[in-house]
Amino acid sequence: MKALQDLETPALLLDRAKLEANWRRMSARIAALGPALRLHVKTAKSLEVVRRLHGAARGPICVSTLKEAEIFGAAGYRDILYTVALAPNKLARAAALVQGGMRLSVIVDNVELAQAIAGAPLDVLIEIDSDGHRAGLKPDDSRLVQVAKVLARGGATVAGVMTHAGASYNCASTGEIRAMAAQERDAVVHAARRLRDAGIAAPVVSVGSTPTATFADDLAGVTEVRAGVFVFFDLVMAGIDVCAAGDIALSVLATVIGHQADKGWALTDAGWMAMSRDRGTAKQKVDQGYGLVCDVAGNPIEGLIVADANQEHGIVAHRSGDPRRLPELPVGTLLRILPNHACATGAQHERYQVLGAAGRVEAAWERFSGW
């Protein structure tokens, strides 16, 4: 085991106890509601993280890149949903995974893509737009049945429908998130019913976002829930009351390397290359800058945020902007920064430094990137 003082900074820290507690809580919640839980591994991008959660089981999981599917497939995961509409230039690569024994499901939301992939031996979900946030067909869109028939005529299996209520990240209250969860459910259940009325079985009805998974009251008609960021959580999730700051399992260890006393700044070696450019809390009730500053034990320091960031410099200041309110942080002081967006911050690093008992580093778990 290592002490945090033995690490070179910036370093990505993962609190194992919080990771496991977050997983247990969500697993129990979804089990009580009835559907299966399909872990989204795009946040973790790490075999070790997912093994810690799934144990000896190998799925089901969902991915956002084919590289994730390939790496997890090589490790024995066989039930994988690729949650980005399949570009035709990836078709051969996806088909190779199926030929290797994987049950790979892909998604489409338009006739053109359906025509392009219809001849491939793939399970296909039709993406439904449940919130106007991003992609998908509206539940009542006339093209829904058309897409399904194009796929079926070409020999693809129309496995069902899926949606992602990404607009839940912008909800102003837990009541709004509950309403969004109901809206998400109703959209895909209705779309699946339309397909069944047209003679298409559509057995899979898939929903997914960490906020709606956390606050859904009723998932009748839904067969699976997809979520991923909940295993780590982040400041965006805390900002909409999906978690508390104390539930956030991910942080970046940084070192104070200098000061601008007249400005009330402490400079660290964790700039946006360590934290990411994500400013997801900027439109929330509390803007956390580039991250919330904690002491080396992980306790938030009153009022301190990473107020600005250059490529390799983090600028720590009091959120009031008052230079007099910056506490004494001598050069060499270790700080832990909670991230705005766990996916984006994680993507800046090659490995997790895993914290076990007494806050000591018990392991280093590799993570990967790329498409």
Side-chain angles (χ1 to χ4, degrees):
M1 286 193 179
K2 292 182 181 179
L4 291 181
Q5 290 76 8
D6 296 328
L7 295 178
E8 185 175 305
T9 56
L12 185 66
L13 305 182
L14 176 57
D15 187 309
R16 181 174 55 80
K18 291 180 180 181
L19 172 83
E20 293 170 352
N22 293 339
W23 169 253
R24 287 194 300 270
R25 186 165 52 246
M26 182 66 81
S27 297
R29 176 165 223 288
I30 300 306
L33 289 168
L37 175 60
R38 183 182 289 270
L39 176 64
H40 208 317
V41 302
K42 68 169 186 173
T43 306
K45 282 184 167 40
S46 166
L47 288 170
E48 289 299 331
V49 169
V50 178
R51 284 172 181 150
R52 175 65 63 169
L53 303 177
H54 272 179
R58 290 291 184 267
I61 60 172
C62 48
V63 301
S64 60
T65 68
L66 287 181
K67 183 172 183 179
E68 292 165 31
E70 290 163 347
I71 288 175
F72 279 91
Y77 293 80
R78 287 292 178 262
D79 182 358
I80 299 179
L81 169 61
Y82 174 49
T83 60
V84 179
L86 184 69
N89 57 30
K90 296 185 177 77
L91 182 56
R93 196 171 163 198
L97 289 170
V98 174
Q99 290 162 4
M102 181 185 296
R103 180 191 170 194
L104 178 69
S105 301
V106 301
I107 67 173
V108 301
D109 73 347
N110 58 75
V111 172
E112 293 83 359
L113 277 184
Q115 291 170 332
I117 73 170
L122 296 168
D123 286 0
V124 184
L125 300 181
I126 300 175
E127 184 169 11
I128 304 303
D129 179 3
S130 59
D131 60 358
H133 172 69
R134 194 166 63 192
L137 295 170
K138 292 292 186 184
D140 281 317
D141 195 310
S142 61
R143 293 169 294 177
L144 174 65
V145 174
Q146 183 185 2
V147 167
K149 289 183 175 179
V150 167
L151 290 166
R153 284 197 299 267
T157 300
V158 183
V161 292
M162 62 83 71
T163 192
H164 169 61
S168 61
Y169 281 55
N170 300 320
C171 288
S173 68
T174 56
E176 284 189 13
I177 299 173
R178 286 190 175 90
M180 182 64 70
Q183 178 177 314
E184 179 185 43
R185 174 203 64 212
D186 291 348
V188 282
V189 169
H190 177 62
R193 186 179 301 118
R194 287 189 61 214
L195 290 177
R196 292 164 187 162
D197 288 345
I200 298 159
V204 177
V205 181
S206 178
V207 301
S209 81
T210 284
T212 54
T214 301
F215 288 107
D217 295 316
D218 181 354
L219 291 174
V222 171
T223 63
E224 69 174 27
V225 173
R226 310 179 320 278
V229 75
F230 73 91
V231 299
F232 296 141
F233 284 129
D234 53 31
L235 292 172
V236 167
M237 292 294 97
I240 56 173
D241 296 323
V242 171
C243 70
D247 297 321
I248 299 173
L250 208 63
S251 61
V252 173
L253 186 69
T255 302
V256 175
I257 57 174
H259 300 89
Q260 293 288 344
D262 58 327
K263 298 175 181 176
W265 293 355
L267 305 179
T268 76
D269 59 353
W272 56 257
M273 283 294 287
M275 298 305 306
S276 87
R277 285 270 195 194
D278 196 290
R279 292 281 286 105
T281 61
K283 295 181 180 179
Q284 294 186 332
K285 292 175 287 187
V286 179
D287 183 356
Q288 305 285 16
Y290 286 84
L292 184 65
V293 179
C294 303
D295 63 21
V296 72
N299 304 305
I301 301 174
E302 192 278 323
L304 284 199
I305 59 173
V306 181
D308 203 352
N310 304 126
Q311 183 165 335
E312 300 295 350
H313 290 77
I315 298 174
V316 171
H318 195 275
R319 66 172 69 251
S320 68
D322 185 349
R324 297 169 298 179
R325 301 186 69 177
L326 181 73
E328 185 176 355
L329 298 171
V331 169
T333 300
L334 290 177
L335 300 171
R336 286 169 63 178
I337 317 297
L338 301 183
N340 281 319
H341 186 178
C343 303
T345 297
Q348 306 301 111
H349 299 265
E350 295 179 339
R351 63 188 55 83
Y352 302 97
Q353 301 293 339
V354 183
L355 303 184
R360 294 180 67 82
V361 179
E362 64 178 17
W365 292 347
E366 298 301 309
R367 67 183 319 283
F368 58 88
S369 59
W371 290 268

